[in-house]
């Protein structure tokens, strides 16, 4: 399946909505914490167990993006979006069956494994195409699309909470909610499949730079550079810090203020998840666009340095001030989202646009690692602290200190990033031949 080539006069601003329809759908993953308490109650799970579908989904996201990145580059965005639609929706349908029959392993298989493949392929599906359409503003272009992934929970969180309230939070109600999700997202993602186009030439913008100008590094060579692995550490640390809050957001804010005069209700906790999603979404477009002005390294200094400060404020004063807790969490999630949206442009700056989608896919293995590391740190420590008789904010103090340490490691890795050595560059004749060979495939 090849995407149709854009006809003359086609507006490049029609491409981001195609990407958004996919990313808004798969961004539902960030609303998983809404399902955690009902699943724990209905199926008798611990917090660590109920996080497993989400964790596996993020692992599969990174792995499928890494192994499928080159294939996505070759077959084009329409093929990738179709694969994402089938896998993501099928994952929900399998999860619905698992909840209906009280077979938790089916939920893990469906949402985590099958749905996770849809997450990975869907996530990288528009990146290379968007950079080719917007060579003059890569940070803004990828930020618009990847904003949808961060904003998916803004829709899914209240929607899921309302369905659980209407259908019931027992296993049959959860099953029905999963079924509605699977069918609805299939329809919405189909819009992106039908709308996506690729540029007619390798220079879609009349006044923009050619996408084959400057440094060009293949995916195979990129993974052999220290710059790739520094960025891998940067992304992994930033994601671990953000996802640690996001995956457990609803129960976390409830625990933090359970012993105060103003406890947080289930509805308010779902609203907090939606707020985090809004910050995640806003950070993806706001911070990534800012990176076009101040540079990628500088913006990551903000993400990692200020992020550590936000965690420190929560650890010291979060349980004494609800506004402070919420504000710091929102800033952390804006940095988390901004980090995702800025990384494709950072890769483009370092390695060029040739195979940038495949390089991005390989880098997302850092997300797989962080998808396990972040939730595992927060959930495992919280479970152990609860077993020791602690409660409230004390469940999370140690995990927040660890997150600060991870952000410091990421900050150091970002400082070590330097331009790629010329020995890794593609020669101009070989690069031109490769581009010509790929053009018929995308047409």
């Amino acid at each position: 399946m090849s995407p149709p080539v854009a006809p003359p006069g086609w507006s490049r601003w029609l491409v981001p909505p195609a990407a958004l329809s996919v990313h808004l759908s798969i961004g539902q993953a960030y609303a998983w914490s809404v399902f955690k308490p009902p699943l724990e109650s209905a199926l008798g799970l611990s917090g660590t167990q109920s996080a497993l579908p989400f964790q596996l989904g993020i692992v599969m996201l990174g792995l499928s993006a890494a192994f499928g990145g080159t294939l996505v580059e070759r077959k084009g965005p329409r093929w990738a979006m179709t694969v994402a639609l089938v896998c993501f929706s099928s994952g929900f349908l399998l999860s619905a069956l698992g909840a209906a029959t009280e077979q938790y392993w089916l939920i893990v298989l469906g949402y985590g494994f099958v749905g996770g493949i849809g997450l990975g392929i869907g996530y990288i599906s528009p990146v290379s195409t968007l950079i080719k359409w917007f060579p003059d503003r890569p940070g803004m272009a990828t930020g618009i699309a990847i904003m949808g992934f961060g904003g998916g929970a803004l829709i899914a969180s209240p929607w899921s909470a309302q369905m659980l309230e209407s259908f019931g939070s027992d296993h049959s109600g959860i099953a029905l909610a999963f079924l509605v999700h699977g069918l609805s997202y299939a329809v919405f993602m189909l819009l992106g499949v039908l709308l996506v186009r690729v540029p007619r030439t390798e220079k879609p913008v009349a006044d923009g730079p050619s996408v084959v100008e400057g440094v060009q590094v293949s995916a195979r060579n990129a993974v052999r550079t220290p710059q790739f692995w520094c960025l891998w550490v940067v992304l992994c640390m930033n994601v671990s810090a953000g996802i640690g809050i996001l995956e457990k957001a609803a129960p976390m804010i409830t625990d933090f203020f359970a012993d105060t005069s103003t406890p947080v209700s289930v509805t308010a906790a779902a609203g907090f998840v939606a707020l985090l999603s809004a910050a995640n979404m806003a950070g993806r477009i706001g911070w990534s666009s800012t990176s076009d002005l101040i540079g990628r390294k500088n913006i990551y200094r903000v993400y990692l340095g200020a992020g550590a400060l936000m965690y420190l404020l929560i650890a010291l004063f979060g349980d004494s001030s609800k506004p402070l807790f919420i504000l710091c969490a929102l800033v952390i999630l804006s940095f988390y989202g901004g980090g995702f949206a800025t990384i494709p442009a950072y890769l483009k700056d370092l390695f060029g646009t040739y195979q940038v989608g495949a390089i991005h896919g390989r880098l997302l293995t850092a997300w797989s690692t962080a998808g396990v590391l972040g939730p595992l740190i927060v959930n495992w420590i919280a479970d152990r602290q609860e077993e020791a008789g602690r409660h409230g904010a004390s469940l999370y103090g140690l995990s927040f200190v660890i997150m600060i340490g991870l952000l410091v490691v990421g900050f150091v890795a970002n400082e070590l990033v330097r331009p790629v050595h010329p020995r890794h560059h593609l020669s101009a004749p070989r690069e031109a031949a490769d581009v010509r060979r790929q053009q018929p495939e995308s047409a």
Side-chain angles (χ1 to χ4, degrees):
M1 178 185 295
S2 298
V5 176
W10 179 268
S11 173
R12 62 177 178 165
W13 293 101
L14 294 174
V15 180
L20 274 172
S21 70
V22 173
H23 275 235
L24 280 171
S25 298
I26 62 178
Q28 184 280 335
Y30 284 142
W32 177 253
S33 65
V34 174
F35 285 102
K36 281 172 63 69
L39 281 171
E40 291 168 15
S41 176
L43 302 181
L45 306 172
S46 68
T48 303
Q49 289 173 322
S50 67
L52 185 57
F54 175 82
Q55 289 176 292
L56 180 58
I58 298 302
V59 169
M60 293 309 301
L61 185 158
L63 293 178
S64 61
F67 289 105
T70 303
L71 196 60
V72 169
E73 287 276 297
R74 186 168 66 248
K75 290 185 174 291
R78 174 166 286 184
W79 174 88
M81 290 180 179
T82 301
V83 171
L85 184 159
V86 172
C87 292
F88 189 65
S89 296
S90 297
F92 267 115
L93 300 183
L94 278 173
S95 298
L97 178 62
T101 58
E102 299 184 69
Q103 297 295 315
Y104 186 58
W105 68 272
L106 269 176
I107 299 177
V108 176
L109 174 66
Y111 191 93
F113 185 80
V114 179
I117 294 173
L119 289 177
I121 300 299
Y123 189 86
I124 64 172
S125 61
V127 170
S128 179
T129 302
L130 281 166
I131 289 178
K132 289 174 182 177
W133 277 108
F134 293 87
D136 50 334
R137 287 181 278 182
M140 181 213 65
T142 55
I144 289 174
I146 295 176
M147 172 184 71
F149 193 89
L154 188 62
I155 299 169
S157 180
W159 184 38
S160 300
Q162 183 59 50
M163 276 195 283
L164 291 171
E165 184 177 337
S166 301
F167 301 151
S169 56
D170 60 356
H171 69 92
S172 60
I174 296 170
L176 190 53
F178 282 152
L179 177 63
V180 172
H181 276 73
L183 297 177
S184 299
Y185 284 131
V187 174
F188 194 59
M189 293 172 76
L190 184 61
L191 297 176
V193 173
L194 298 176
L195 186 60
V196 71
R197 299 288 190 277
V198 296
R200 294 180 61 82
T201 69
E202 288 296 309
K203 191 173 180 179
V205 185
D207 58 348
S210 170
V211 300
V212 295
E213 290 178 354
V215 172
Q216 302 297 330
V217 181
S218 69
R220 176 176 294 184
N221 284 342
V223 298
R224 299 172 179 170
T225 66
Q227 289 82 358
F228 177 90
W229 293 106
C230 283
L231 289 188
W232 192 98
V233 172
V234 166
L235 185 63
C236 184
M237 298 301 100
N238 194 54
V239 172
S240 295
I243 212 168
I245 286 182
L246 191 58
E247 187 275 335
K248 202 175 175 64
M252 181 182 291
I253 193 171
T254 301
D255 290 337
F256 250 79
F257 299 99
D259 300 329
T260 68
S261 58
T262 55
V264 177
S265 66
V266 174
T267 303
F272 175 62
V273 175
L275 278 177
L276 292 180
S277 178
N280 190 353
M281 180 174 62
R284 290 172 187 243
I285 181 62
W287 292 121
S288 62
S289 296
T290 303
S291 77
D292 286 334
L293 301 175
I294 69 173
R296 320 303 172 194
K297 178 174 283 192
N298 285 333
I299 202 69
Y300 273 95
R301 286 169 173 154
V302 174
Y303 299 156
L304 299 160
L309 177 61
M310 294 299 106
Y311 256 114
L312 181 62
L313 290 174
I314 293 178
L316 295 177
F317 310 111
D319 59 340
S320 61
S321 173
K322 194 178 295 182
L324 177 66
F325 177 90
I326 294 173
L327 177 62
C328 290
L330 291 177
V331 173
I332 290 170
L333 263 294
S334 77
F335 292 158
Y336 169 82
F340 277 121
T342 310
I343 206 69
Y346 210 161
L347 292 172
K348 179 256 183 187
D349 293 346
L350 289 171
F351 302 110
T353 55
Y354 175 73
Q355 293 194 334
V356 67
I359 298 170
H360 185 218
R362 286 160 171 77
L363 192 76
L364 290 181
T365 54
W367 194 356
S368 295
T369 303
V372 174
L373 186 62
L376 181 63
I377 290 171
V378 175
N379 284 288
W380 187 84
I381 291 176
D383 287 345
R384 300 291 81 76
Q385 298 286 60
E386 189 172 12
E387 290 173 2
R390 295 183 176 85
H391 54 84
S394 61
L395 297 175
Y396 304 99
L398 177 58
S399 60
F400 285 1
V401 172
I402 293 174
M403 294 302 178
I404 293 171
L406 294 180
L407 288 168
V408 171
V409 171
F411 189 94
V412 172
N414 183 53
E415 294 301 307
L416 296 176
V417 174
R418 299 289 187 273
V420 176
H421 194 280
R423 71 173 178 273
H424 297 292
H425 298 179
L426 290 177
S427 63
R430 176 183 172 186
E431 179 187 318
D434 286 340
V435 170
R436 284 195 300 270
R437 190 162 52 248
Q438 287 182 10
Q439 282 178 331
E441 295 174 353
S442 63

